[in-house]
Amino acid sequence: MAAPLFLLAPPRSYTSLINAMIGQHPQAYGLPELMLFNVERLKDLWRKVSEDIGGDSSRRHGLLRTVAELYAGEQTCDAVTMAQHWAAARENRSSSDVFRELVEKIAPLIAVEKSPAYTISMKRLYRISETFPDARFLHLVRHPIAQCRSVMN
């Protein structure tokens, strides 16, 4: 299993663009924002455990889209329903175990993930490091003035 690559950057720092670019490499698989390391257990993605990880839909869309694509080969309503059942069957598993399962599913490709909320909590970064001691990190920065203007707009 290839060590994943995590893009670390605050929101509005072009992580989606960089993730899409790197994810196009034939040895990589670009994932949407899974937000798995924001929570300890998978079921916590369905509960508001903190103010910084977005609303209900944004907490789980990336995971459901990923599971639908990996296990059904498409992101139709039926595939997303299947993904919800997949997640329900794993609700008591740790988020680390779920992420590891997804990485194993796409092996030998390198998982590339970019959940900006990982950068605001050392606990989340430690969770990544404990799960993947050989993980790679790409830290993106943006000029603070442009960053603030983007967030304010």
Side-chain angles (χ1 to χ4, degrees), residues 1-106:
M1 169 175 61
L5 170 65
F6 292 92
L7 304 180
L8 301 179
R12 314 285 307 158
S13 296
Y14 298 104
T15 54
S16 296
L17 176 65
I18 302 300
N19 187 46
M21 291 169 56
I22 295 172
Q24 291 297 306
H25 190 281
Q27 295 175 334
Y29 190 97
L31 297 164
E33 292 180 30
L34 297 179
M35 296 200 206
L36 283 170
F37 291 104
N38 290 349
V39 296
E40 206 164 312
R41 299 246 164 240
L42 182 59
K43 65 183 173 187
D44 295 332
L45 274 183
W46 273 257
R47 293 188 269 174
K48 189 158 186 133
V49 293
S50 73
E51 293 295 322
D52 60 334
I53 62 170
D56 290 342
S57 62
S58 66
R59 280 197 299 268
R60 54 185 175 256
H61 268 276
L63 175 66
L64 295 177
R65 287 179 33 228
T66 298
V67 170
E69 188 67 38
L70 290 177
Y71 290 87
E74 59 187 5
Q75 295 180 36
T76 61
C77 289
D78 288 340
V80 172
T81 298
M82 176 277 305
Q84 290 170 330
H85 292 290
W86 180 96
R90 291 159 177 78
E91 71 177 1
N92 289 314
R93 290 181 59 193
S94 72
S95 56
S96 298
D97 287 344
V98 173
F99 197 98
R100 194 177 295 110
E101 181 178 340
L102 296 174
V103 169
E104 289 171 359
K105 179 73 174 165
I106 64 173

